[in-house]
Amino acid sequence: MIRNSMLATGLVLAFAAVPFGHAMAQSATPAQTPPEATPMQTPDMQTMHKSPENRTVPDKAADAWITTKVKSEFGTTKGIKATNISISTNDGVVTLTGKVSSEDEKQHAERVAQLVKGVKSVDSSGLTIGAMAPGEK
């Protein structure tokens, strides 16, 4: 029984280390990589590197953290009905969609989202202003 527990613990630790090793390998800076090991990038390669499909795990994790933080801020801020607003983040740009009750609420949501660390800009064009149905908060 103890041997099985130790084996399971070892496997969990081994698998947990894999993403960290992968992330560390991706975060190598040019100073850490010898120049002869880095091929010259053409403009097409640079554009391809910045496409959303090629984003690194740390970039995606940062966007997920920003989305979570904005949702948390909305949930704890008076004057914003967080359940009516959907939030997504792509490369630091927060997109707000849903329904708000007034222009003031829309502007307040924009300001709160903009104050979150890591947010580059806020797109609230998907927020519509309208009266809430009786069942909506």
Side-chain angles (χ1 to χ4, degrees):
M1 184 68 141
I2 292 174
R3 185 168 36 173
N4 288 342
S5 296
M6 291 180 68
L7 180 61
T9 302
L11 286 173
V12 167
L13 290 173
F15 285 121
V18 171
F20 293 114
H22 183 67
M24 293 300 289
Q26 287 182 347
S27 66
T29 61
Q32 296 170 330
T33 306
E36 62 275 0
T38 306
M40 287 190 65
Q41 289 188 344
T42 64
D44 290 338
M45 291 174 73
Q46 291 172 347
T47 304
M48 183 175 66
H49 178 68
K50 293 182 180 185
S51 71
E53 297 83 33
N54 292 333
R55 292 175 48 210
T56 62
V57 173
D59 291 340
K60 291 179 183 177
D63 284 344
W65 182 88
I66 290 170
T67 298
T68 302
K69 185 66 177 163
V70 171
K71 287 180 182 182
S72 174
E73 291 295 323
F74 282 5
T76 58
T77 302
K78 289 186 177 190
I80 298 175
K81 295 174 180 71
T83 56
N84 297 334
I85 301 174
S86 296
I87 303 156
S88 63
T89 307
N90 187 8
D91 200 25
V93 177
V94 175
T95 303
L96 306 176
T97 56
K99 194 177 213 181
V100 292
S101 60
S102 67
E103 181 65 31
D104 287 340
E105 183 180 357
K106 181 178 179 178
Q107 290 176 358
H108 190 49
E110 289 175 24
R111 282 190 303 269
V112 170
Q114 188 64 52
L115 292 174
V116 171
K117 183 178 179 182
V119 173
K120 294 177 184 174
S121 66
V122 178
D123 175 14
S124 63
S125 61
L127 285 178
T128 58
I129 300 169
M132 299 294 170
E136 292 182 319
K137 293 182 180 181

